[in-house]
Amino acid sequence: MWTFPEPFDLIVVGAGHAGCEAAHAAARMGAKTLLLTMNLDTIGKMSCNPAVGGTAKGHIVREIDAMGGIMGKVADRTAIQYRMLNRSKGPAVWSPRCQSDRARYAMEMKRVLENTPNLFLMQGTTLRLIIDQAKVVGVETQEGIAYRSQGVIISSGTFMQGLIHIGEINFAGGRAGDKPSVGLSAQLKELGFSLGRLKTGTPVRVNSRSIDTSVMEEQPGDEGVHFSYDDPEPRLPGLSCWITYTTPQTKEIALEHLLRSPMYSGKIQSVGPRYCPSFEDKVVRFGHRERHQIFLEPEGLSTNEMYVNGISTSLPFDVQLAMIRSIEGMANAEIIRPGYAIEYDVITSGQLKLSLETKLIEGLYLAGQINGTTGYEEAAAQGLIAAINAVRKIRGEDPFIIKRSEAYIGVMIEEIVSKDLKEPYRMFTSRAEHRLLLRQDNADLRLREYGHQLGLIDEKQYQRFCLKRDAIKKGIEQLRSTNKYFEGKVHPLSSLLKRPDFNYQQLRELFIDEIHDLPSEVTEQIEMELRYEGYIERQTREIKKLEQLDRHFIPIHFDYDTILGLSNEARMRLKKVKPDHLGQASRLEGVTPADISILLIALSS
């Protein structure tokens, strides 16, 4: 094994969405970073749906951007359709989503990384970690090269012992067309890590020239939607998506061949995402439904490929073809790529700190699907946090931990660290107790200050943010201090803006001399803060109460066996997870308020 002559501060293994975000953030923070990937041509590849964002996921993308990450910017540069989901509901659940040009997204991500100072890209297959006295000091590759570093982030996606299933056929692969990673799983087991097995899947792709959109419902995009808080990115031409439906025949075909599915034949033992089931699972679980909605989503401006969203499957190809051709408008559909399921290795819960550093090996961080999550957005957020903490550790600084009251990213990390994941983890708005405070529109107000402190937001970005933040504050103060006669009474203008029939622009038209003309990004925040003021104040008070527990830190080697009165279930869970503080401990399964009271006394004595 030949040792590369120049050591790195940090090595990132894998260039999926977690690895890309990690490598970019570490390099931006000044760390000499190596991004090591099996194939440089698949950097930032969208393995499944060519889309970014969605319910809760869109919140995460905006949080990543607010802190200086790149997913939102690359998505904005390569989007071919935007939508704001859940508009009919309250603003807490409004979620931006874009359909991306798949090829352009990967190319733009690679371009950004290649031009990032301090970042070095190398093609190579990581076989082993180099460990010295329970500390990671580098990696060894299949190509016979050893790279030295002070820290390593593994972001292997679905590649660790990946096994692809299409009907009765299965074969090794990290995703369709790519070989798996086979060395790391065995070594992680040798080192004492506990590994589990999860499953995900993807639908077929069809040729757009072979479908009849005249019998489908067109779904155009929404105007004014974007991810990045910085200067607007140039837009690509937009494309529509199309809505169609399966038929009773589609259901019959799936049921007739159910035992040819690896899920029902017993070939797949691992658990897939409950909220995104395969079509064969849908017809079993929702047997009363005769049809299911299907979205046909274009994969790019320079290709005829369309993603058939809503019919993920691992049935044999002949069954897939029959099912697809039974869908309305798809009688002559040509399948370009078959759907498949993939099983892969993950690290089970309780083995990571909130910083995403492993408890067993110092300097080793894990990010993305290796931690049991699913989705590009969840992976990218973990990559960002892992990189921040890896660089801070190299510098001798304390970990950076986002609270669950500050961001969806904080909710996600606490849950994947603390909970036993029985299925791939996906973020939902319902997971956050204080989601009115964690809206997608105010992620910069919550997190941009952190990004600046960490060195990920430059002065130009920060000054723009400060101008916006100050304008919001002054605008609210002005409305509260200005009283006007209206409908027979004198009102502070702030009270009028709380009415559902008023917005800032309407108020300005009535009182143009008193109200300043402000940008829409400022007036939207003023409206939100005043309209939901009572709810926001209540949630803020609740957070302050809960944060009292977060201030009681628990030593990593705290001996729970010496604490009398703890329930056996709580003791076992606490010993497994080793929570960082009482707040985290209080949210563990099986830990009761009585257990927390006992711990509080023990920690205070």
Side-chain angles (χ1 to χ4, degrees):
M1 189 70 64
W2 178 74
T3 301
F4 193 78
E6 301 172 13
F8 294 90
D9 295 322
L10 184 66
I11 296 173
V12 179
V13 176
H17 302 279
C20 290
E21 208 68 59
H24 176 264
R28 281 287 305 276
M29 291 176 71
K32 184 179 178 182
T33 305
L34 172 65
L35 178 57
L36 193 58
T37 177
M38 296 167 70
N39 187 348
L40 285 171
D41 294 327
T42 58
I43 286 176
K45 184 175 181 179
M46 292 177 150
S47 304
C48 193
N49 195 354
V52 173
T55 301
K57 292 171 175 283
H59 293 67
I60 290 177
V61 179
R62 301 217 81 191
E63 291 176 352
I64 291 169
D65 186 81
M67 292 184 62
I70 51 172
M71 173 173 267
K73 290 179 177 57
V74 174
D76 282 347
R77 292 168 192 161
T78 58
I80 53 179
Q81 189 199 83
Y82 281 98
R83 295 190 67 223
M84 183 65 78
L85 306 184
N86 305 320
R87 277 283 198 189
S88 61
K89 300 177 182 179
V93 296
W94 294 353
S95 301
R97 179 186 188 272
C98 81
Q99 197 68 26
S100 296
D101 185 306
R102 180 194 296 274
R104 282 179 170 85
Y105 184 96
M107 289 171 62
E108 176 62 17
M109 183 64 77
K110 185 180 181 186
R111 185 193 70 80
V112 170
L113 297 179
E114 286 178 336
N115 288 281
T116 299
N118 302 315
L119 179 55
F120 302 83
L121 278 61
M122 181 68 71
Q123 184 164 296
T125 301
T126 302
L127 289 181
R128 292 184 62 81
L129 302 168
I130 304 172
I131 308 294
D132 182 13
Q133 296 182 348
K135 177 178 172 58
V136 67
V137 293
V139 302
E140 295 178 353
T141 69
Q142 179 178 279
E143 292 75 18
I145 306 171
Y147 297 96
R148 294 282 173 169
S149 67
Q150 298 182 63
V152 172
I153 298 174
I154 299 178
S155 52
S156 53
T158 59
F159 279 73
M160 288 207 321
Q161 296 290 99
L163 185 65
I164 292 172
H165 296 267
I166 304 175
E168 297 93 344
I169 305 298
N170 61 59
F171 52 91
R175 59 187 162 217
D178 293 311
K179 61 184 181 180
S181 169
V182 296
L184 282 176
S185 289
Q187 188 189 15
L188 290 173
K189 287 180 181 177
E190 289 172 9
L191 292 170
F193 287 95
S194 172
L195 272 60
R197 199 91 168 134
L198 291 177
K199 176 193 82 74
T200 189
T202 189
V204 303
R205 273 74 161 179
V206 298
N207 192 325
S208 61
R209 72 182 182 189
S210 67
I211 62 175
D212 180 10
T213 57
S214 68
V215 298
M216 299 179 186
E217 176 188 340
E218 186 174 6
Q219 187 183 56
D222 296 334
E223 295 297 323
V225 184
H226 56 90
F227 287 114
S228 182
Y229 286 97
D230 296 311
D231 293 330
E233 301 286 350
R235 293 288 180 96
L236 295 176
L239 293 178
S240 290
C241 296
W242 301 88
I243 300 175
T244 185
Y245 295 89
T246 64
T247 63
Q249 185 186 0
T250 319
K251 177 181 174 181
E252 289 174 13
I253 293 168
L255 288 173
E256 181 183 352
H257 296 278
L258 196 62
L259 292 181
R260 297 181 68 193
S261 164
M263 286 180 58
Y264 288 90
S265 68
K267 286 191 174 181
I268 291 180
Q269 299 293 327
S270 51
V271 181
R274 174 171 38 92
Y275 42 80
C276 187
S278 66
F279 185 73
E280 51 266 37
D281 206 16
K282 282 184 183 179
V283 298
V284 171
R285 288 166 52 187
F286 310 110
H288 61 286
R289 295 179 61 178
E290 289 301 313
R291 70 174 194 168
H292 296 267
Q293 194 173 56
I294 300 294
F295 295 88
L296 289 170
E297 300 172 338
E299 299 234 337
L301 298 173
S302 306
T303 179
N304 286 344
E305 281 195 62
M306 297 196 84
Y307 180 91
V308 188
N309 195 342
I311 194 162
S312 176
T313 182
S314 57
L315 282 160
F317 183 80
D318 59 303
V319 182
Q320 293 187 30
L321 185 61
M323 288 197 310
I324 290 296
R325 289 184 172 178
S326 70
I327 295 171
E328 296 172 10
M330 300 183 70
N332 299 308
E334 300 169 11
I335 292 181
I336 294 176
R337 304 176 199 252
Y340 63 89
I342 181 168
E343 293 183 283
Y344 53 95
D345 283 351
V346 297
I347 298 292
T348 57
S349 67
Q351 302 180 82
L352 294 178
K353 303 174 185 178
L354 288 173
S355 64
L356 296 182
E357 184 183 20
T358 65
K359 295 173 182 175
L360 280 176
I361 303 297
E362 186 181 355
L364 177 63
Y365 294 77
L366 308 181
Q369 285 180 277
I370 189 174
N371 291 335
T373 61
T374 182
Y376 309 147
E377 303 80 3
E378 289 91 338
Q382 292 171 67
L384 177 66
I385 299 303
I388 290 169
N389 284 313
V391 174
R392 287 177 68 85
K393 185 178 183 70
I394 290 168
R395 293 174 179 170
E397 299 171 353
D398 292 336
F400 170 72
I401 308 298
I402 298 184
K403 300 172 187 174
R404 61 185 297 130
S405 59
E406 294 178 313
Y408 277 91
I409 295 175
V411 174
M412 173 186 66
I413 290 178
E414 183 178 297
E415 294 194 344
I416 64 174
V417 166
S418 305
K419 292 187 175 182
D420 281 327
L421 302 181
K422 297 179 173 60
E423 62 181 332
Y425 180 96
R426 175 182 175 177
M427 179 51 69
F428 294 105
T429 53
S430 59
R431 293 188 187 275
E433 307 92 318
H434 308 295
R435 56 183 177 269
L436 185 57
L437 298 180
L438 307 184
R439 304 185 310 274
Q440 56 83 29
D441 58 88
N442 69 356
D444 59 336
L445 299 173
R446 294 184 275 119
L447 300 172
R448 185 137 285 202
E449 189 73 50
Y450 285 142
H452 183 245
Q453 293 170 6
L454 292 164
L456 293 169
I457 296 296
D458 63 28
E459 284 305 314
K460 180 183 176 182
Q461 292 172 301
Y462 185 63
Q463 289 306 315
R464 175 176 175 162
F465 159 71
C466 290
L467 289 172
K468 174 184 173 180
R469 180 191 59 193
D470 294 345
I472 293 167
K473 183 180 178 181
K474 289 177 182 177
I476 291 173
E477 289 173 350
Q478 182 199 22
L479 292 175
R480 284 176 173 157
S481 61
T482 304
N483 298 309
K484 283 293 175 182
Y485 190 79
F486 184 73
E487 293 183 345
K489 286 184 179 180
V490 175
H491 302 268
L493 294 184
S494 58
S495 68
L496 294 180
L497 203 52
K498 293 181 180 182
R499 291 166 46 162
D501 54 337
F502 267 105
N503 60 34
Y504 189 93
Q505 189 57 38
Q506 290 169 322
L507 206 59
R508 187 168 186 274
E509 290 170 2
L510 286 172
F511 307 105
I512 193 166
D513 293 332
E514 285 80 12
I515 300 181
H516 299 154
D517 184 17
L518 296 171
S520 60
E521 65 174 2
V522 172
T523 61
E524 286 170 3
Q525 288 305 308
I526 292 173
E527 290 172 12
M528 292 283 190
E529 290 297 312
L530 290 175
R531 190 160 291 156
Y532 298 97
E533 186 174 34
Y535 299 101
I536 290 171
E537 287 178 353
R538 184 193 312 162
Q539 290 197 358
T540 302
R541 287 195 300 269
E542 291 172 358
I543 288 169
K544 287 181 179 177
K545 289 180 182 177
L546 292 171
E547 285 183 348
Q548 292 176 8
L549 289 177
D550 292 353
R551 297 190 188 101
H552 291 276
F553 292 96
I554 305 174
I556 187 67
H557 299 298
F558 187 76
D559 189 355
Y560 293 99
D561 288 328
T562 64
I563 308 303
L564 300 176
L566 285 178
S567 68
N568 288 333
E569 185 179 4
R571 195 186 310 276
M572 289 174 60
R573 192 68 188 151
L574 290 163
K575 287 168 66 175
K576 178 180 179 181
V577 175
K578 295 184 174 64
D580 286 24
H581 49 68
L582 278 183
Q584 183 188 358
S586 70
R587 292 181 284 271
L588 296 178
E589 295 170 292
V591 178
T592 67
D595 295 318
I596 296 300
S597 297
I598 293 168
L599 280 176
L600 181 58
I601 293 169
L603 290 168
S604 302
S605 59

